[in-house]
Amino acid sequence: YDEVDRLQAEVERLTGVRIFDVHIGDAKNLSHPSFFDNTDTYEIVVFRGLSPQTTVDAIVTRPMTFLNFDRLLVTVRAADSRSVAQVKSRFVNLPGKMPQGPDDLMQRLLSAMVDHYLELRQPLAKRLEDWQIQLLDPRKPFRDWVKLLASRQQIRELQDLSEEQLDAMQEWRDYRIADLSPAMNARFADIVEHIERVRNHARTIESQAESAVQLYFAAMSHRTTEIMRLLTLITAIFMPLTLITGLFGMNFEFIPGLHKSYGFWLSVAAMVGVVTGMLAYFRHKRWI
């Protein structure tokens, strides 16, 4: 990124072609989405890749700009690009597999960038599993809603990112379809297919997360219903007991059995009988 200002003059010296100022501005814009554009003398592809600072909790992306000439490929990217380092290491280890042209080199770099997205699938799936376990843990209520919403937002941003990448790659392939060899066309088709796999995986994770949240609220609603049912049954059982104790607690001179030795035991027997009868009735109705 630091050498973008010198790029225009250097490329013009090597190829005789001057890069448009608007494309220089695109290369300097670190927030630029993935896109494709072409001129009579070169093509420009901006493709957003993952930063080394990316974690499962924070997906960080940054652009790599490709300026594709007839016999030259110019990239504008961060100095610590993992994709460039990965492709360079392959050249060192397999010198016989050197790129045969700008399209070949761009395909290898794009493939390495997309592979980093594919590597995110397993950590994202594991994170979703952790969220599901926390959501459905009956021992404690779930409280990390801010983190969960942030994760869902990142998954949606990953979907949008994949959509932009797909549009850029499809437009480039449509523009170059007549010039690409069958082998090269197949290799770029693989890149498109891998991007679609990332997008579909992000959609699946978002859908599963949404289902887990709905299941959590359904479980909470069921638990609340069970608590209310239990409280209602307890209230229904104690209402007649309250009535009986209230009758014997009234301040009247004459209450049947009030001054008899069996009066207390008669009231206790009546209360036990009422509770037993109500419990038997509730069990018969399968309310308990």
Side-chain angles (χ1 to χ4, degrees):
Y1 298 129
D2 299 335
E3 300 179 1
V4 175
D5 294 332
R6 300 190 311 173
L7 179 64
Q8 202 170 29
E10 185 66 17
V11 170
E12 186 173 10
R13 183 184 68 82
L14 293 173
T15 65
V17 177
R18 183 172 180 81
I19 302 174
F20 292 149
D21 292 338
V22 64
H23 290 159
I24 293 294
D26 292 337
K28 295 170 66 176
N29 184 2
L30 300 184
S31 301
H32 205 293
S34 301
F35 95 115
F36 162 73
D37 195 10
N38 66 282
T39 68
D40 294 337
T41 52
Y42 68 90
E43 305 147 7
I44 177 172
V45 175
V46 177
F47 197 90
R48 296 197 68 86
L50 291 178
S51 168
Q53 287 75 37
T54 294
T55 64
V56 69
D57 295 320
I59 299 177
V60 182
T61 64
R62 57 190 184 186
M64 181 183 294
T65 302
F66 299 87
L67 297 165
N68 192 6
F69 298 84
D70 290 338
R71 300 182 60 185
L72 176 68
L73 179 68
V74 179
T75 61
V76 180
R77 39 81 183 181
D80 60 344
S81 173
R82 294 181 297 169
S83 301
V84 173
Q86 180 178 333
V87 173
K88 283 183 177 180
S89 66
R90 291 177 181 175
F91 295 162
V92 173
N93 298 328
L94 299 172
K97 298 293 185 179
M98 294 290 290
Q100 301 302 309
D103 292 345
D104 190 0
L105 179 57
M106 184 171 75
Q107 185 275 330
R108 298 189 190 199
L109 290 170
L110 289 171
S111 180
M113 295 174 71
V114 175
D115 285 346
H116 293 148
Y117 284 99
L118 292 175
E119 294 170 359
L120 268 180
R121 292 181 300 169
Q122 184 175 355
L124 288 176
K126 180 62 171 60
R127 183 59 186 271
L128 172 63
E129 182 180 348
D130 293 339
W131 285 127
Q132 290 174 330
I133 292 174
Q134 293 181 42
L135 282 168
L136 301 180
D137 188 353
R139 296 171 297 179
K140 56 182 179 180
F142 184 78
R143 301 186 185 279
D144 293 334
W145 290 108
V146 174
K147 293 182 179 179
L148 177 59
L149 293 176
S151 295
R152 290 182 60 190
Q153 181 62 30
Q154 287 188 344
I155 295 300
R156 291 179 181 177
E157 291 176 358
L158 183 59
Q159 292 183 46
D160 295 339
L161 180 67
S162 298
E163 293 286 352
E164 295 169 357
Q165 292 172 341
L166 279 174
D167 290 342
M169 287 294 93
Q170 291 286 16
E171 290 178 10
W172 185 87
R173 286 182 64 208
D174 292 342
Y175 177 73
R176 293 291 307 280
I177 191 67
D179 302 329
L180 294 176
S181 65
M184 187 60 62
N185 188 33
R187 289 166 63 182
F188 275 99
D190 285 341
I191 293 177
V192 172
E193 191 268 338
H194 289 170
I195 297 173
E196 289 178 342
R197 286 166 59 184
V198 173
R199 180 189 61 178
N200 294 336
H201 186 72
R203 287 179 175 176
T204 300
I205 289 180
E206 182 184 16
S207 177
Q208 291 177 347
E210 182 67 26
S211 298
V213 171
Q214 292 178 358
L215 186 59
Y216 167 80
F217 284 112
M220 292 298 295
S221 176
H222 176 71
R223 183 182 178 188
T224 302
T225 301
E226 288 296 309
I227 292 174
M228 293 302 299
R229 184 172 68 90
L230 178 61
L231 293 177
T232 301
L233 292 176
I234 293 174
T235 302
I237 290 173
F238 276 91
M239 282 180 63
L241 303 184
T242 304
L243 175 62
I244 293 173
T245 56
L247 288 174
F248 279 90
M250 291 188 297
N251 295 322
F252 289 104
E253 291 293 333
F254 175 75
I255 297 177
L258 180 62
H259 300 290
K260 303 295 182 180
S261 60
Y262 61 81
F264 171 76
W265 299 110
L266 180 63
S267 63
V268 171
M271 288 188 287
V272 171
V274 169
V275 171
T276 303
M278 295 187 71
L279 288 175
Y281 179 76
F282 291 158
R283 185 174 293 277
H284 175 71
K285 291 293 186 178
R286 296 185 178 181
W287 292 348
I288 57 175

